[in-house]
Amino acid sequence: MTIGELPNLEVERARLRVVSLPLVSPFVTSFGTQVERRALLVELYSQGLVGRGECAAGIEPGYSAETYRTAMEALRRHILPSILKQEAADVEVQARRWAWVRGHLMAKAAVEMALLDLSGQATGTSLSQILGGTKDRIPCGVSIGIQASLDATMSAIDGYLAQGYQRIKLKCKPGYDLELASAVRARFPDTPLMLDANSAYSLADAPRLRELDQFGLMMIEQPLAHDDLIDHAALQAQMKTPICLDESVESLTDLRAALHLGAGRILNIKLGRVGGLLPSKAIHDQCQAAGWPVWCGGMLETGIGRAANLAIASLPGFSLPGDTSASNRYFTRDLLVEPFTLAPDGTMPVPAGPGLGVPVDSRRLDEATILLEEVWATGASRP
Ligand code: OSB
Ligand code: MG
């Protein structure tokens, strides 16, 4: 079954669930510190099945404008009422029913994930098969937050390399960049290495950023403003290190502008950031046509969102190791019966079961739940 053959489904019932999972260690970036993954899950019911989707948004709007709370409001008032108890339709038609809602891409992506999970379960097809995946294992990298010291950074890298991770991404910020790259390169001369600035620089920092060229980085991710393409193009023209865009590409339109301007050479695809798996596939296809390698980013997802990340990463254009790391890199206990584990060769399997393909541990899910809400077709908070 492919995207054109998805079954018609009626969404009979919808629930919003918020879970809280403590992180094994605080995750520090140029925009803030996260100590827990608080995830909004969308649960859709159809024909005796439950489809699940995870919203990428977190507690604070430091990465993008969305938070799990803005997503809840958009979902309960606008997005879910557009599809609840409507005539049965396939996922593409359902997505057109909420397309009138501007923005709220992570909220939309969570509903789309749940619908695709239902579609896969109803037809015995995995998400990867639905999307046209060609791989059954994914090469994995790891994203390391800003550490208290260079020593702590070195031992974190040592630990992840020992587990098999195929590339190291280090979060950086102005003042925590050249010394970091130089020290890590001296100690790990051949490790595939990259930095992620999460928009912390401006074009005035170009001379400093150009110094990074000497360290043989695979790429630098999103050095400049979250909504900029023009300055990224100017920076890329002066830098050998490839620029990888993250925050700046939220749609196929943004990608076309980025390609036109030469605002980078690589794209990090996050399905929440671009509004879902189907938009991610379209963006992947366009990157393939343009010769831009892509890889799958992450938002510290629980196993539910991680399963969808692995499915999209199985498409052929995902030619670089992504931020799809094992469950134990984030949590002591994930939400799944079988947590995701890294094989010694640094790969993880793409789930092969129907839909998301990862059985959820319902006791663990209930333990982690801090809020559960029924959504009404009227869009009101009460029927
Ligand atoms: O910029 O890629 C990012 C986590 C939260 C928000 C933004 C980013 C990240 C990561 C972690 O880098 C990726 C992961 O391991 O899930
Ligand atoms: Mg990033």
Side-chain angles (χ1 to χ4, degrees), residues 275-307:
L277 289 151
L278 300 181
S280 294
K281 182 181 166 68
I283 285 173
H284 156 275
D285 293 352
Q286 181 82 38
C287 283
Q288 255 196 323
W292 276 30
V294 306
W295 53 275
C296 183
M299 294 291 286
L300 313 179
E301 287 90 345
T302 77
I304 293 171
R306 193 160 306 284

PDB file of all heavy atoms in Angstrom, residues 275-307:
ATOM      1  N   GLY A 275       5.125  19.952   9.656  1.00  0.00           N
ATOM      2  CA  GLY A 275       3.687  19.670   9.638  1.00  0.00           C
ATOM      3  C   GLY A 275       3.307  18.237   9.331  1.00  0.00           C
ATOM      4  O   GLY A 275       2.145  17.966   9.061  1.00  0.00           O
ATOM      5  N   GLY A 276       4.278  17.312   9.360  1.00  0.00           N
ATOM      6  CA  GLY A 276       3.886  15.907   9.247  1.00  0.00           C
ATOM      7  C   GLY A 276       4.777  15.066   8.373  1.00  0.00           C
ATOM      8  O   GLY A 276       5.775  15.530   7.804  1.00  0.00           O
ATOM      9  N   LEU A 277       4.391  13.790   8.283  1.00  0.00           N
ATOM     10  CA  LEU A 277       5.165  12.811   7.504  1.00  0.00           C
ATOM     11  C   LEU A 277       4.998  13.041   6.007  1.00  0.00           C
ATOM     12  O   LEU A 277       5.959  12.892   5.246  1.00  0.00           O
ATOM     13  CB  LEU A 277       4.717  11.391   7.876  1.00  0.00           C
ATOM     14  CG  LEU A 277       5.155  10.936   9.279  1.00  0.00           C
ATOM     15  CD1 LEU A 277       4.178   9.940   9.882  1.00  0.00           C
ATOM     16  CD2 LEU A 277       6.559  10.337   9.226  1.00  0.00           C
ATOM     17  N   LEU A 278       3.798  13.366   5.572  1.00  0.00           N
ATOM     18  CA  LEU A 278       3.603  13.568   4.129  1.00  0.00           C
ATOM     19  C   LEU A 278       4.324  14.827   3.643  1.00  0.00           C
ATOM     20  O   LEU A 278       5.028  14.782   2.630  1.00  0.00           O
ATOM     21  CB  LEU A 278       2.105  13.569   3.770  1.00  0.00           C
ATOM     22  CG  LEU A 278       1.358  12.267   4.124  1.00  0.00           C
ATOM     23  CD1 LEU A 278      -0.113  12.343   3.708  1.00  0.00           C
ATOM     24  CD2 LEU A 278       2.015  11.034   3.513  1.00  0.00           C
ATOM     25  N   PRO A 279       4.226  15.964   4.353  1.00  0.00           N
ATOM     26  CA  PRO A 279       5.066  17.116   3.982  1.00  0.00           C
ATOM     27  C   PRO A 279       6.566  16.790   4.039  1.00  0.00           C
ATOM     28  O   PRO A 279       7.333  17.264   3.195  1.00  0.00           O
ATOM     29  CB  PRO A 279       4.689  18.187   5.014  1.00  0.00           C
ATOM     30  CG  PRO A 279       3.332  17.818   5.497  1.00  0.00           C
ATOM     31  CD  PRO A 279       3.260  16.314   5.429  1.00  0.00           C
ATOM     32  N   SER A 280       6.972  15.975   5.011  1.00  0.00           N
ATOM     33  CA  SER A 280       8.396  15.594   5.097  1.00  0.00           C
ATOM     34  C   SER A 280       8.825  14.838   3.853  1.00  0.00           C
ATOM     35  O   SER A 280       9.930  15.039   3.334  1.00  0.00           O
ATOM     36  CB  SER A 280       8.656  14.690   6.317  1.00  0.00           C
ATOM     37  OG  SER A 280       8.452  15.389   7.504  1.00  0.00           O
ATOM     38  N   LYS A 281       7.941  13.950   3.385  1.00  0.00           N
ATOM     39  CA  LYS A 281       8.279  13.181   2.179  1.00  0.00           C
ATOM     40  C   LYS A 281       8.408  14.105   0.969  1.00  0.00           C
ATOM     41  O   LYS A 281       9.334  13.977   0.172  1.00  0.00           O
ATOM     42  CB  LYS A 281       7.225  12.107   1.923  1.00  0.00           C
ATOM     43  CG  LYS A 281       7.552  11.237   0.708  1.00  0.00           C
ATOM     44  CD  LYS A 281       6.463  10.197   0.459  1.00  0.00           C
ATOM     45  CE  LYS A 281       6.574   9.553  -0.902  1.00  0.00           C
ATOM     46  NZ  LYS A 281       7.765   8.695  -1.079  1.00  0.00           N
ATOM     47  N   ALA A 282       7.498  15.057   0.851  1.00  0.00           N
ATOM     48  CA  ALA A 282       7.551  16.004  -0.273  1.00  0.00           C
ATOM     49  C   ALA A 282       8.850  16.819  -0.227  1.00  0.00           C
ATOM     50  O   ALA A 282       9.497  17.050  -1.259  1.00  0.00           O
ATOM     51  CB  ALA A 282       6.329  16.923  -0.238  1.00  0.00           C
ATOM     52  N   ILE A 283       9.247  17.228   0.971  1.00  0.00           N
ATOM     53  CA  ILE A 283      10.480  17.999   1.140  1.00  0.00           C
ATOM     54  C   ILE A 283      11.695  17.120   0.824  1.00  0.00           C
ATOM     55  O   ILE A 283      12.640  17.559   0.159  1.00  0.00           O
ATOM     56  CB  ILE A 283      10.514  18.599   2.565  1.00  0.00           C
ATOM     57  CG1 ILE A 283       9.532  19.773   2.625  1.00  0.00           C
ATOM     58  CG2 ILE A 283      11.924  19.020   2.965  1.00  0.00           C
ATOM     59  CD1 ILE A 283       9.317  20.370   4.001  1.00  0.00           C
ATOM     60  N   HIS A 284      11.651  15.890   1.286  1.00  0.00           N
ATOM     61  CA  HIS A 284      12.710  14.909   0.959  1.00  0.00           C
ATOM     62  C   HIS A 284      12.848  14.759  -0.558  1.00  0.00           C
ATOM     63  O   HIS A 284      13.962  14.779  -1.098  1.00  0.00           O
ATOM     64  CB  HIS A 284      12.350  13.577   1.623  1.00  0.00           C
ATOM     65  CG  HIS A 284      12.960  12.364   0.981  1.00  0.00           C
ATOM     66  ND1 HIS A 284      12.368  11.725  -0.101  1.00  0.00           N
ATOM     67  CD2 HIS A 284      14.093  11.671   1.240  1.00  0.00           C
ATOM     68  CE1 HIS A 284      13.126  10.697  -0.453  1.00  0.00           C
ATOM     69  NE2 HIS A 284      14.176  10.641   0.346  1.00  0.00           N
ATOM     70  N   ASP A 285      11.720  14.610  -1.244  1.00  0.00           N
ATOM     71  CA  ASP A 285      11.755  14.399  -2.702  1.00  0.00           C
ATOM     72  C   ASP A 285      12.403  15.602  -3.394  1.00  0.00           C
ATOM     73  O   ASP A 285      13.217  15.455  -4.305  1.00  0.00           O
ATOM     74  CB  ASP A 285      10.335  14.194  -3.252  1.00  0.00           C
ATOM     75  CG  ASP A 285       9.718  12.880  -2.759  1.00  0.00           C
ATOM     76  OD1 ASP A 285      10.437  12.066  -2.132  1.00  0.00           O
ATOM     77  OD2 ASP A 285       8.499  12.677  -2.981  1.00  0.00           O
ATOM     78  N   GLN A 286      12.024  16.803  -2.938  1.00  0.00           N
ATOM     79  CA  GLN A 286      12.569  18.027  -3.543  1.00  0.00           C
ATOM     80  C   GLN A 286      14.074  18.147  -3.275  1.00  0.00           C
ATOM     81  O   GLN A 286      14.832  18.569  -4.146  1.00  0.00           O
ATOM     82  CB  GLN A 286      11.817  19.234  -2.969  1.00  0.00           C
ATOM     83  CG  GLN A 286      12.231  20.579  -3.508  1.00  0.00           C
ATOM     84  CD  GLN A 286      11.579  20.898  -4.849  1.00  0.00           C
ATOM     85  OE1 GLN A 286      10.416  20.572  -5.063  1.00  0.00           O
ATOM     86  NE2 GLN A 286      12.330  21.512  -5.746  1.00  0.00           N
ATOM     87  N   CYS A 287      14.501  17.773  -2.083  1.00  0.00           N
ATOM     88  CA  CYS A 287      15.939  17.801  -1.764  1.00  0.00           C
ATOM     89  C   CYS A 287      16.687  16.804  -2.635  1.00  0.00           C
ATOM     90  O   CYS A 287      17.784  17.103  -3.132  1.00  0.00           O
ATOM     91  CB  CYS A 287      16.176  17.478  -0.284  1.00  0.00           C
ATOM     92  SG  CYS A 287      15.802  18.842   0.814  1.00  0.00           S
ATOM     93  N   GLN A 288      16.109  15.633  -2.819  1.00  0.00           N
ATOM     94  CA  GLN A 288      16.758  14.620  -3.673  1.00  0.00           C
ATOM     95  C   GLN A 288      16.949  15.163  -5.084  1.00  0.00           C
ATOM     96  O   GLN A 288      18.020  15.025  -5.680  1.00  0.00           O
ATOM     97  CB  GLN A 288      15.884  13.367  -3.739  1.00  0.00           C
ATOM     98  CG  GLN A 288      16.400  12.216  -2.906  1.00  0.00           C
ATOM     99  CD  GLN A 288      15.747  10.902  -3.292  1.00  0.00           C
ATOM    100  OE1 GLN A 288      14.561  10.842  -3.613  1.00  0.00           O
ATOM    101  NE2 GLN A 288      16.528   9.835  -3.245  1.00  0.00           N
ATOM    102  N   ALA A 289      15.907  15.802  -5.602  1.00  0.00           N
ATOM    103  CA  ALA A 289      15.978  16.351  -6.955  1.00  0.00           C
ATOM    104  C   ALA A 289      17.049  17.437  -7.048  1.00  0.00           C
ATOM    105  O   ALA A 289      17.694  17.603  -8.084  1.00  0.00           O
ATOM    106  CB  ALA A 289      14.608  16.902  -7.358  1.00  0.00           C
ATOM    107  N   ALA A 290      17.246  18.173  -5.938  1.00  0.00           N
ATOM    108  CA  ALA A 290      18.207  19.284  -5.947  1.00  0.00           C
ATOM    109  C   ALA A 290      19.611  18.849  -5.551  1.00  0.00           C
ATOM    110  O   ALA A 290      20.532  19.671  -5.552  1.00  0.00           O
ATOM    111  CB  ALA A 290      17.711  20.378  -5.001  1.00  0.00           C
ATOM    112  N   GLY A 291      19.771  17.595  -5.133  1.00  0.00           N
ATOM    113  CA  GLY A 291      21.092  17.113  -4.725  1.00  0.00           C
ATOM    114  C   GLY A 291      21.491  17.508  -3.319  1.00  0.00           C
ATOM    115  O   GLY A 291      22.674  17.511  -2.990  1.00  0.00           O
ATOM    116  N   TRP A 292      20.509  17.861  -2.466  1.00  0.00           N
ATOM    117  CA  TRP A 292      20.804  18.130  -1.058  1.00  0.00           C
ATOM    118  C   TRP A 292      20.601  16.844  -0.256  1.00  0.00           C
ATOM    119  O   TRP A 292      19.494  16.300  -0.254  1.00  0.00           O
ATOM    120  CB  TRP A 292      19.854  19.186  -0.480  1.00  0.00           C
ATOM    121  CG  TRP A 292      20.228  20.603  -0.708  1.00  0.00           C
ATOM    122  CD1 TRP A 292      20.923  21.118  -1.766  1.00  0.00           C
ATOM    123  CD2 TRP A 292      19.899  21.711   0.146  1.00  0.00           C
ATOM    124  NE1 TRP A 292      21.041  22.479  -1.632  1.00  0.00           N
ATOM    125  CE2 TRP A 292      20.418  22.871  -0.465  1.00  0.00           C
ATOM    126  CE3 TRP A 292      19.203  21.845   1.361  1.00  0.00           C
ATOM    127  CZ2 TRP A 292      20.277  24.139   0.106  1.00  0.00           C
ATOM    128  CZ3 TRP A 292      19.053  23.108   1.918  1.00  0.00           C
ATOM    129  CH2 TRP A 292      19.605  24.240   1.295  1.00  0.00           C
ATOM    130  N   PRO A 293      21.659  16.361   0.456  1.00  0.00           N
ATOM    131  CA  PRO A 293      21.437  15.252   1.386  1.00  0.00           C
ATOM    132  C   PRO A 293      20.530  15.717   2.529  1.00  0.00           C
ATOM    133  O   PRO A 293      20.577  16.892   2.909  1.00  0.00           O
ATOM    134  CB  PRO A 293      22.837  14.920   1.912  1.00  0.00           C
ATOM    135  CG  PRO A 293      23.794  15.798   1.188  1.00  0.00           C
ATOM    136  CD  PRO A 293      23.035  16.866   0.481  1.00  0.00           C
ATOM    137  N   VAL A 294      19.742  14.801   3.071  1.00  0.00           N
ATOM    138  CA  VAL A 294      18.931  15.138   4.249  1.00  0.00           C
ATOM    139  C   VAL A 294      19.185  14.104   5.341  1.00  0.00           C
ATOM    140  O   VAL A 294      19.682  13.009   5.078  1.00  0.00           O
ATOM    141  CB  VAL A 294      17.415  15.210   3.934  1.00  0.00           C
ATOM    142  CG1 VAL A 294      17.150  16.162   2.796  1.00  0.00           C
ATOM    143  CG2 VAL A 294      16.814  13.833   3.641  1.00  0.00           C
ATOM    144  N   TRP A 295      18.824  14.481   6.568  1.00  0.00           N
ATOM    145  CA  TRP A 295      18.865  13.542   7.693  1.00  0.00           C
ATOM    146  C   TRP A 295      17.724  13.873   8.627  1.00  0.00           C
ATOM    147  O   TRP A 295      17.143  14.964   8.553  1.00  0.00           O
ATOM    148  CB  TRP A 295      20.221  13.562   8.399  1.00  0.00           C
ATOM    149  CG  TRP A 295      20.731  14.909   8.852  1.00  0.00           C
ATOM    150  CD1 TRP A 295      21.433  15.808   8.101  1.00  0.00           C
ATOM    151  CD2 TRP A 295      20.591  15.505  10.148  1.00  0.00           C
ATOM    152  NE1 TRP A 295      21.733  16.917   8.845  1.00  0.00           N
ATOM    153  CE2 TRP A 295      21.239  16.750  10.118  1.00  0.00           C
ATOM    154  CE3 TRP A 295      19.994  15.085  11.347  1.00  0.00           C
ATOM    155  CZ2 TRP A 295      21.295  17.604  11.226  1.00  0.00           C
ATOM    156  CZ3 TRP A 295      20.052  15.923  12.453  1.00  0.00           C
ATOM    157  CH2 TRP A 295      20.699  17.173  12.382  1.00  0.00           C
ATOM    158  N   CYS A 296      17.399  12.931   9.490  1.00  0.00           N
ATOM    159  CA  CYS A 296      16.236  13.101  10.361  1.00  0.00           C
ATOM    160  C   CYS A 296      16.649  13.680  11.698  1.00  0.00           C
ATOM    161  O   CYS A 296      17.459  13.090  12.416  1.00  0.00           O
ATOM    162  CB  CYS A 296      15.536  11.757  10.557  1.00  0.00           C
ATOM    163  SG  CYS A 296      14.053  11.896  11.557  1.00  0.00           S
ATOM    164  N   GLY A 297      16.103  14.834  12.021  1.00  0.00           N
ATOM    165  CA  GLY A 297      16.360  15.466  13.310  1.00  0.00           C
ATOM    166  C   GLY A 297      15.443  14.896  14.370  1.00  0.00           C
ATOM    167  O   GLY A 297      14.625  14.007  14.113  1.00  0.00           O
ATOM    168  N   GLY A 298      15.587  15.412  15.579  1.00  0.00           N
ATOM    169  CA  GLY A 298      14.753  14.935  16.682  1.00  0.00           C
ATOM    170  C   GLY A 298      14.358  16.070  17.593  1.00  0.00           C
ATOM    171  O   GLY A 298      14.934  17.160  17.528  1.00  0.00           O
ATOM    172  N   MET A 299      13.362  15.819  18.428  1.00  0.00           N
ATOM    173  CA  MET A 299      12.896  16.784  19.430  1.00  0.00           C
ATOM    174  C   MET A 299      12.764  16.076  20.782  1.00  0.00           C
ATOM    175  O   MET A 299      11.809  16.314  21.513  1.00  0.00           O
ATOM    176  CB  MET A 299      11.556  17.381  18.990  1.00  0.00           C
ATOM    177  CG  MET A 299      11.632  18.248  17.728  1.00  0.00           C
ATOM    178  SD  MET A 299      12.530  19.795  17.987  1.00  0.00           S
ATOM    179  CE  MET A 299      11.296  20.710  18.939  1.00  0.00           C
ATOM    180  N   LEU A 300      13.722  15.181  21.056  1.00  0.00           N
ATOM    181  CA  LEU A 300      13.715  14.415  22.311  1.00  0.00           C
ATOM    182  C   LEU A 300      12.431  13.598  22.443  1.00  0.00           C
ATOM    183  O   LEU A 300      11.904  13.422  23.551  1.00  0.00           O
ATOM    184  CB  LEU A 300      13.892  15.349  23.520  1.00  0.00           C
ATOM    185  CG  LEU A 300      15.001  16.400  23.455  1.00  0.00           C
ATOM    186  CD1 LEU A 300      15.004  17.248  24.737  1.00  0.00           C
ATOM    187  CD2 LEU A 300      16.377  15.771  23.277  1.00  0.00           C
ATOM    188  N   GLU A 301      11.938  13.081  21.336  1.00  0.00           N
ATOM    189  CA  GLU A 301      10.668  12.355  21.344  1.00  0.00           C
ATOM    190  C   GLU A 301      10.689  11.098  22.216  1.00  0.00           C
ATOM    191  O   GLU A 301      11.726  10.455  22.358  1.00  0.00           O
ATOM    192  CB  GLU A 301      10.306  11.907  19.908  1.00  0.00           C
ATOM    193  CG  GLU A 301       9.857  13.000  18.968  1.00  0.00           C
ATOM    194  CD  GLU A 301      11.020  13.642  18.197  1.00  0.00           C
ATOM    195  OE1 GLU A 301      12.203  13.452  18.578  1.00  0.00           O
ATOM    196  OE2 GLU A 301      10.724  14.337  17.212  1.00  0.00           O
ATOM    197  N   THR A 302       9.523  10.738  22.712  1.00  0.00           N
ATOM    198  CA  THR A 302       9.338   9.419  23.323  1.00  0.00           C
ATOM    199  C   THR A 302       9.381   8.381  22.196  1.00  0.00           C
ATOM    200  O   THR A 302       9.455   8.729  21.008  1.00  0.00           O
ATOM    201  CB  THR A 302       7.974   9.314  24.031  1.00  0.00           C
ATOM    202  OG1 THR A 302       6.946   9.134  23.041  1.00  0.00           O
ATOM    203  CG2 THR A 302       7.657  10.565  24.857  1.00  0.00           C
ATOM    204  N   GLY A 303       9.292   7.133  22.569  1.00  0.00           N
ATOM    205  CA  GLY A 303       9.348   6.054  21.578  1.00  0.00           C
ATOM    206  C   GLY A 303       8.293   6.178  20.489  1.00  0.00           C
ATOM    207  O   GLY A 303       8.486   5.685  19.369  1.00  0.00           O
ATOM    208  N   ILE A 304       7.177   6.840  20.799  1.00  0.00           N
ATOM    209  CA  ILE A 304       6.094   6.958  19.818  1.00  0.00           C
ATOM    210  C   ILE A 304       6.534   7.851  18.654  1.00  0.00           C
ATOM    211  O   ILE A 304       6.497   7.449  17.488  1.00  0.00           O
ATOM    212  CB  ILE A 304       4.812   7.485  20.515  1.00  0.00           C
ATOM    213  CG1 ILE A 304       4.312   6.413  21.498  1.00  0.00           C
ATOM    214  CG2 ILE A 304       3.734   7.866  19.503  1.00  0.00           C
ATOM    215  CD1 ILE A 304       3.180   6.865  22.403  1.00  0.00           C
ATOM    216  N   GLY A 305       7.003   9.053  18.970  1.00  0.00           N
ATOM    217  CA  GLY A 305       7.494   9.940  17.919  1.00  0.00           C
ATOM    218  C   GLY A 305       8.758   9.398  17.257  1.00  0.00           C
ATOM    219  O   GLY A 305       9.009   9.604  16.071  1.00  0.00           O
ATOM    220  N   ARG A 306       9.562   8.693  18.042  1.00  0.00           N
ATOM    221  CA  ARG A 306      10.813   8.110  17.528  1.00  0.00           C
ATOM    222  C   ARG A 306      10.516   7.081  16.432  1.00  0.00           C
ATOM    223  O   ARG A 306      11.242   6.979  15.438  1.00  0.00           O
ATOM    224  CB  ARG A 306      11.551   7.461  18.708  1.00  0.00           C
ATOM    225  CG  ARG A 306      12.992   7.072  18.499  1.00  0.00           C
ATOM    226  CD  ARG A 306      13.698   6.919  19.849  1.00  0.00           C
ATOM    227  NE  ARG A 306      13.514   8.144  20.615  1.00  0.00           N
ATOM    228  CZ  ARG A 306      14.180   9.272  20.382  1.00  0.00           C
ATOM    229  NH1 ARG A 306      15.146   9.298  19.502  1.00  0.00           N
ATOM    230  NH2 ARG A 306      13.914  10.359  21.061  1.00  0.00           N
ATOM    231  N   ALA A 307       9.438   6.307  16.627  1.00  0.00           N
ATOM    232  CA  ALA A 307       9.060   5.304  15.620  1.00  0.00           C
ATOM    233  C   ALA A 307       8.758   5.992  14.283  1.00  0.00           C
ATOM    234  O   ALA A 307       9.163   5.515  13.216  1.00  0.00           O
ATOM    235  CB  ALA A 307       7.840   4.519  16.102  1.00  0.00           C
TER     236      ALA A 307
END
